[in-house]
Amino acid sequence: MILNRSLRLLLLLPCPLKSSPFLLPLRPFSASSPMKKTSSKSSPFEFNKRRADGFDETGKAKKNLERKTRKLNPNTTAYAQVLGTGMDTQDTSSSVLLFFDKQRFIFNAGEGLQRFCTEHKIKLSKIDHVFLSRVCSETAGGLPGLLLTLAGIGEEGLSVNVWGPSDLKLLVDAMKCFIPRAAMVHTRSFGPSSTPDPTVLVDDEVVKISAITLEPPRSKEGEESCSKSGEISVVYVCELAEIMGKFDLEKAKKVFGVRPGPKYSKLQCGESVRSDEKDITVYPSDVMGPSVPGPIVLLVDCPTESHVAQLVSAKSLESYCSGDGGKLVNCIIHLSPSSVTSSPTYQSWMKRFHSAQHILAGHQRKNMEFPILKASSRIAARLNYLCPQFFPAPGFWPPQHVTNSIVDSTPPDQDSTLGKSISAENLLKFTLRPYANLGMDRSCIPSELTSPQVLDELLSEIPEIKDKTEEIKQLWNGPNGETESNTVLPSCLENIRRDDMEIVLLGTGSSQPSKYRNVSAIYIDLFSKGSLLLDCGEGTLGQLKRRYGLDGADEAVRKLRCIWISHIHADHHAGLARILALRCKLLKGVTHEPAVVVGPRSLKHFLDAYQRLEELDMEFLDCRRTTKSSWACLEGSNAEGSLFSKGSPMQSVFKTPMTDLPCLKSLKKVLSDIGVEDLISFPVIHCPQAFGVVVKAAERLNSVGKRIPGWKMVYSGDTRPCPEIVEASQDATVLIHEATFEDDLIDEALAKNHSTTKEAIDMGSSAGVYRIVLTHFSQRYPKIPVIDESHMHNTCIAFDLMSINVADLQVLPKVLPYFKTLFKDEMVEEDADDVAIDELKENAL
């Protein structure tokens, strides 16, 4: 038996770092030839070897991504608009869209930007430039996903110019680990200006955008800065072009004797001409009305008081201050937090621009009261009404006291000379052109969404849902022996307590965030013992806030002990830096241990590079060091037999490097602290270094001292069906398996190394799994995937924010039919644009 296992391991050795190892029953197909379903008799497991080895389907590299030159017109529609400010995205900086008919500029791209723009039909494919006011996870967490989306549009993709202070290069270096180089060819950084004038970044017929950097004071020791590189912030100055006055045709013709023709065009373009009837030179000022000055918008980000000191003393801004004979600023959008904007020093600075409209887009203000992602909020509220046991009340509906506790945007003692100051709201506009409409425009602000409104809509649309809710309640009042499917309750669930373990599915969609589903993240709540996180896609922190509320999410992040990442695709880890940075901040000054991050080797390159921007306070461990053989190595046993014995040529193949042993021991201690006996990674088939994971709880004692085995949970990550999953899932309590495609789309599943619904269920059934939870659905299924209930007796489908307590596993499959009632009119709803983007993003990944 040991020899057979050793020979099997030997078969995996030729390319251990380039691709995931596969067992002999697996049969690759050629991606260049037509894909066909194969008989289960001839090949039980089939996959796309090119994709698994890290090559796309065509093998052709895209050209450098360029944008077509577009003719610009200064007499265009123009406005500045606030995107993505709200209670459930308090973890990120607000974004601002500067809109022109032929150009789009985005300032800051925090997590959730794509999801917000998708819901409100703001086409990011039109974006020409992205400007970062700081380079950190708060302002740039959504940038990797945005770049991947743009890179996947069209045959050659679209490129965007990304601007930021000098430390932007650190972010670019970090992202190179998982973003194609072509998607970042236009990243441009800038440093402090060597002159009193702002640094000009963009200057065309429509707008000039300049930057003024604010860097915290230097330390006494002569170090470069007293803070991390990522704390350099920027003030952006946006100056629209001046519009020439109206041409007075009658005056030109009758007073100055200029006949209609080419000379009229020259005068309007600022050129002098000779009169046709008089011996004089006619100047543009003779026949043109007064020009209209271009509006000016400032975007100010001062994250700390030390930045405010730099802002107040900035010489570059002096010419824009009111009352000094300088340029007139029409609007200032403050991205700074309220703790800064309400300070006396900042208030004094704001008074210099008393004629400007001040828009306060920082956090902890009245714009925090309501959820901004209304589509997903509506779904969450409906699911909560139907089955509160699996869908607890979302944390984004504000309690009654919130309104009174929120800091108002205008301090009560504010001087009246400050001018107009309002709190930002989503889609709030400040119109810049046409000039006649200069000022605030609230017409696009979404109506507020409240829980009672959602429930009234639900009962009106589906009156029978009230009875279904009562039926679901009865599921928890039935006998505790056997379920309707006649599966016996596993011994590990005997007298299980509700505070033992809960699975919170934070993201259940694939590829990119959509209106209804965020990307992959599973929070394993072990209550007082701590918590784990399996995958951490973009927006994971926002999802925690939607599930637990603002304070509850902070506590959930505080008690995170280990984060496990399945593979390097961005939809599985792009939210990691934000989570780690917040955890570090929340635990500052408190005795604690670093979080242990387990992931593919290439993820370490990203985290190491990123830590030059922000402190992450973590230890990293390669997934390959948490396999069965690596754990056995730590314990000092020779699990692989004589083939790998001391002195043999194969001795070092599976041995854990000495440099990894301290981190492996740290993980062992963390697992012991949180009551977990095993965390074992195993290779799966998707892309190079893709893994699944087994998490097994330690034994416990019941009330009479009897030893009860711990539960066993398996997560597949992204994968094709493979023997490793079956082996790892033997007698598991729960298998969370990806089910990206419906059964009829087997060809697409093969091409992209994903699984269909039936394939995922077959994996669990083959391993004797007690409960199967399907997740990672293609965004072509916006609310509920296509399913066949005939083979789902022990299976349930996942929704965002679904919370599965281990004590409720017995009734889990019984709620599936009720989901179909809730979504009966939306079973086959499909947005063509979402499907197309989903496919393009998959190819980019």
Side-chain angles (χ1 to χ4, degrees):
M1 185 70 180
I2 292 177
L3 179 60
N4 289 338
R5 186 177 181 189
S6 300
L7 289 173
R8 190 187 77 179
L9 290 170
L10 184 60
L11 291 171
L12 309 182
L13 297 180
C15 301
L17 301 183
K18 293 180 66 177
S19 64
S20 302
F22 313 125
L23 300 184
L24 286 178
L26 296 169
R27 194 183 82 177
F29 70 89
S30 171
S32 60
S33 62
M35 289 169 286
K36 299 179 181 179
K37 299 180 189 177
T38 57
S39 166
S40 58
K41 293 181 181 179
S42 61
S43 178
F45 304 108
E46 195 171 8
F47 65 98
N48 181 340
K49 188 175 188 303
R50 284 190 59 81
R51 192 172 183 87
D53 287 343
F55 301 99
D56 62 21
E57 295 172 41
T58 63
K60 296 179 181 178
K62 289 187 175 181
K63 300 176 182 177
N64 279 353
L65 309 180
E66 299 284 355
R67 283 188 172 272
K68 294 179 180 178
T69 303
R70 287 170 282 184
K71 186 175 180 180
L72 303 178
N73 176 15
N75 298 306
T76 182
T77 300
Y79 55 80
Q81 186 172 36
V82 177
L83 307 179
T85 178
M87 184 174 85
D88 52 344
T89 55
Q90 191 183 12
D91 52 288
T92 63
S93 171
S94 297
S95 296
V96 176
L97 169 67
L98 185 59
F99 175 96
F100 299 93
D101 286 339
K102 300 293 185 180
Q103 285 181 303
R104 309 284 194 277
F105 304 89
I106 284 279
F107 295 85
N108 288 345
E111 291 186 18
L113 174 63
Q114 279 197 90
R115 197 175 184 194
F116 176 86
C117 291
T118 297
E119 175 153 344
H120 295 284
K121 301 189 182 302
I122 297 170
K123 293 189 176 181
L124 291 173
S125 60
K126 302 290 186 182
I127 300 301
D128 295 272
H129 299 265
V130 175
F131 297 90
L132 301 180
S133 62
R134 279 176 288 136
V135 183
C136 61
S137 57
E138 185 180 348
T139 60
L143 188 58
L146 175 60
L147 292 175
L148 282 169
T149 297
L150 293 173
I153 293 176
E155 292 185 4
E156 298 298 341
L158 294 176
S159 180
V160 63
N161 294 288
V162 182
W163 301 84
S166 54
D167 41 17
L168 175 63
K169 62 182 181 295
L170 301 178
L171 178 63
V172 173
D173 289 343
M175 291 194 301
K176 284 179 181 176
C177 303
F178 60 94
I179 300 274
R181 182 172 57 184
M184 297 191 296
V185 294
H186 301 302
T187 51
R188 305 178 182 183
S189 60
F190 51 85
S193 175
S194 58
T195 69
D197 300 319
T199 302
V200 178
L201 308 179
V202 174
D203 192 1
D204 56 35
E205 303 97 309
V206 173
V207 65
K208 180 171 79 172
I209 299 178
S210 308
I212 300 168
T213 56
L214 306 176
E215 188 170 1
R218 300 178 184 276
S219 65
K220 294 180 180 179
E221 271 60 21
E223 297 176 359
E224 289 187 3
S225 173
C226 65
S227 58
K228 276 278 184 180
S229 297
E231 292 185 6
I232 300 172
S233 69
V234 183
V235 176
Y236 286 106
V237 182
C238 307
E239 303 175 70
L240 273 65
E242 180 182 75
I243 296 180
M244 298 293 289
K246 187 176 180 180
F247 179 70
D248 193 331
L249 186 148
E250 290 296 316
K251 193 174 181 181
K253 184 177 180 180
K254 295 181 178 179
V255 177
F256 292 97
V258 181
R259 296 169 188 164
K263 290 182 179 180
Y264 281 11
S265 296
K266 290 184 178 181
L267 286 168
Q268 293 179 68
C269 291
E271 296 182 36
S272 302
V273 299
R274 294 292 295 177
S275 171
D276 295 309
E277 300 176 0
K278 301 179 181 180
D279 187 21
I280 60 173
T281 298
V282 182
Y283 298 94
S285 58
D286 296 330
V287 293
M288 300 292 296
S291 61
V292 179
I296 299 176
V297 178
L298 302 185
L299 292 100
V300 183
D301 187 359
C302 279
T304 67
E305 289 286 351
S306 59
H307 289 85
V308 176
Q310 302 300 307
L311 176 69
V312 171
S313 61
K315 299 290 184 184
S316 304
L317 283 169
E318 289 182 355
S319 63
Y320 297 93
C321 296
S322 303
D324 294 335
K327 303 173 183 178
L328 179 65
V329 175
N330 301 90
C331 178
I332 303 180
I333 301 176
H334 302 269
L335 304 174
S336 315
S338 60
S339 58
V340 171
T341 58
S342 59
S343 69
T345 305
Y346 198 93
Q347 289 282 308
S348 177
W349 179 82
M350 289 173 68
K351 289 177 185 178
R352 301 181 188 178
F353 305 89
H354 56 77
S355 60
Q357 171 68 66
H358 295 271
I359 301 176
L360 299 163
H363 301 312
Q364 300 173 5
R365 301 184 181 280
K366 288 181 179 178
N367 56 1
M368 296 297 124
E369 292 183 37
F370 295 93
I372 70 167
L373 300 177
K374 294 172 65 175
S376 60
S377 301
R378 181 177 279 107
I379 294 294
R382 288 182 169 216
L383 288 166
N384 169 248
Y385 177 83
L386 175 67
C387 184
Q389 296 86 352
F390 286 130
F391 300 92
F396 47 70
W397 300 116
Q400 295 299 317
H401 69 273
V402 168
T403 302
N404 297 326
S405 65
I406 292 174
V407 180
D408 196 288
S409 59
T410 305
D413 59 347
Q414 179 176 292
D415 194 305
S416 59
T417 60
L418 183 55
K420 294 174 290 184
S421 179
I422 65 169
S423 185
E425 296 180 74
N426 280 310
L427 303 186
L428 175 70
K429 289 182 181 179
F430 187 89
T431 301
L432 303 169
R433 294 266 163 82
Y435 190 78
N437 297 334
L438 184 71
M440 302 302 303
D441 178 0
R442 304 175 62 87
S443 61
C444 294
I445 296 175
S447 59
E448 294 174 349
L449 181 70
T450 64
S451 183
Q453 287 175 338
V454 175
L455 299 185
D456 288 343
E457 291 173 4
L458 175 61
L459 294 172
S460 175
E461 293 173 16
I462 313 175
E464 66 269 26
I465 203 69
K466 190 171 185 180
D467 294 333
K468 299 297 182 183
T469 300
E470 292 301 318
E471 290 178 20
I472 286 180
K473 288 180 182 177
Q474 297 307 310
L475 298 178
W476 272 261
N477 299 326
N480 290 324
E482 297 181 349
T483 67
E484 291 178 358
S485 59
N486 295 321
T487 54
V488 179
L489 189 73
S491 58
C492 65
L493 300 182
E494 179 185 326
N495 298 321
I496 195 81
R497 294 165 54 97
R498 299 196 67 81
D499 63 353
D500 192 289
M501 188 268 281
E502 187 165 270
I503 301 168
V504 182
L505 294 136
L506 298 174
T508 57
S510 68
S511 183
Q512 68 173 23
S514 72
K515 285 171 63 175
Y516 303 106
R517 294 182 184 272
N518 204 55
V519 286
S520 298
I522 304 170
Y523 184 76
I524 308 300
D525 192 353
L526 302 172
F527 298 93
S528 61
K529 297 188 290 290
S531 62
L532 305 170
L533 190 59
L534 309 181
D535 278 338
C536 188
E538 177 188 336
T540 293
L541 181 54
Q543 291 292 87
L544 282 171
K545 291 178 183 292
R546 294 177 188 105
R547 168 61 181 86
Y548 293 107
L550 300 181
D551 294 335
D554 284 350
E555 179 56 31
V557 172
R558 256 188 219 100
K559 68 178 190 177
L560 264 176
R561 302 296 305 278
C562 174
I563 302 175
W564 182 90
I565 304 297
S566 61
H567 61 289
I568 197 61
H569 286 168
D571 59 326
H572 289 258
H573 72 82
L576 179 58
R578 188 74 193 106
I579 290 284
L580 290 172
L582 178 61
R583 182 182 184 272
C584 180
K585 178 181 176 182
L586 292 172
L587 294 175
K588 189 174 183 179
V590 178
T591 302
H592 68 280
E593 297 174 350
V596 178
V597 176
V598 182
R601 181 190 54 176
S602 49
L603 181 63
K604 184 178 188 300
H605 302 323
F606 165 69
L607 294 173
D608 287 346
Y610 192 89
Q611 285 196 106
R612 297 172 64 190
L613 284 170
E614 286 185 280
E615 183 60 49
L616 300 182
D617 189 27
M618 62 90 197
E619 294 182 87
F620 183 85
L621 195 59
D622 192 325
C623 279
R624 296 175 303 165
R625 308 309 174 200
T626 59
T627 60
K628 263 187 179 180
S629 56
S630 291
W631 283 115
C633 202
L634 179 67
E635 300 299 328
S637 62
N638 185 12
E640 307 304 339
S642 59
L643 183 63
F644 303 97
S645 60
K646 186 175 181 179
S648 73
M650 307 300 296
Q651 175 186 351
S652 63
V653 171
F654 284 97
K655 180 172 286 188
T656 302
M658 292 300 295
T659 54
D660 286 337
L661 284 177
C663 191
L664 196 58
K665 290 179 179 178
S666 295
L667 176 59
K668 186 71 173 176
K669 180 182 183 303
V670 165
L671 297 179
S672 176
D673 291 344
I674 62 178
V676 171
E677 183 177 284
D678 289 318
L679 187 149
I680 300 172
S681 302
F682 58 91
V684 295
I685 301 170
H686 180 60
C687 66
Q689 298 184 57
F691 293 87
V693 68
V694 177
V695 180
K696 190 177 187 306
E699 289 184 340
R700 58 187 172 88
L701 298 176
N702 65 8
S703 56
V704 296
K706 177 184 174 183
R707 288 190 174 276
I708 306 295
W711 46 261
K712 177 181 176 181
M713 191 207 70
V714 180
Y715 171 47
S716 70
D718 285 8
T719 185
R720 286 290 299 148
C722 60
E724 286 86 350
I725 293 177
V726 177
E727 180 181 348
S729 302
Q730 289 297 318
D731 300 320
T733 316
V734 184
L735 168 63
I736 302 174
H737 200 293
E738 73 118 292
T740 308
F741 296 105
E742 61 186 279
D743 297 339
D744 289 341
L745 297 180
I746 179 63
D747 286 352
E748 292 194 46
L750 281 167
K752 297 173 182 177
N753 280 344
H754 284 300
S755 301
T756 66
T757 300
K758 187 175 185 303
E759 286 176 328
I761 295 172
D762 287 346
M763 288 294 94
S765 299
S766 299
V769 172
Y770 177 61
R771 291 291 179 256
I772 303 169
V773 178
L774 303 181
T775 187
H776 197 266
F777 302 112
S778 167
Q779 304 295 10
R780 72 182 62 226
Y781 315 116
K783 295 180 183 177
I784 187 169
V786 177
I787 53 176
D788 178 1
E789 288 186 67
S790 62
H791 50 266
M792 298 187 70
H793 62 279
N794 66 339
T795 304
C796 192
I797 57 176
F799 293 86
D800 279 18
L801 309 185
M802 187 177 191
S803 301
I804 305 172
N805 193 286
V806 68
D808 296 329
L809 285 174
Q810 187 177 13
V811 300
L812 181 62
K814 299 180 183 179
V815 301
L816 181 60
Y818 298 97
F819 294 153
K820 298 189 73 171
T821 300
L822 184 63
F823 299 107
K824 64 179 183 179
D825 297 326
E826 301 162 289
M827 293 293 290
V828 197
E829 178 185 310
E830 193 171 311
D831 188 318
D833 289 340
D834 287 346
V835 172
I837 289 294
D838 185 38
E839 293 174 348
L840 292 168
K841 185 72 171 292
E842 268 290 338
N843 290 335
L845 291 173

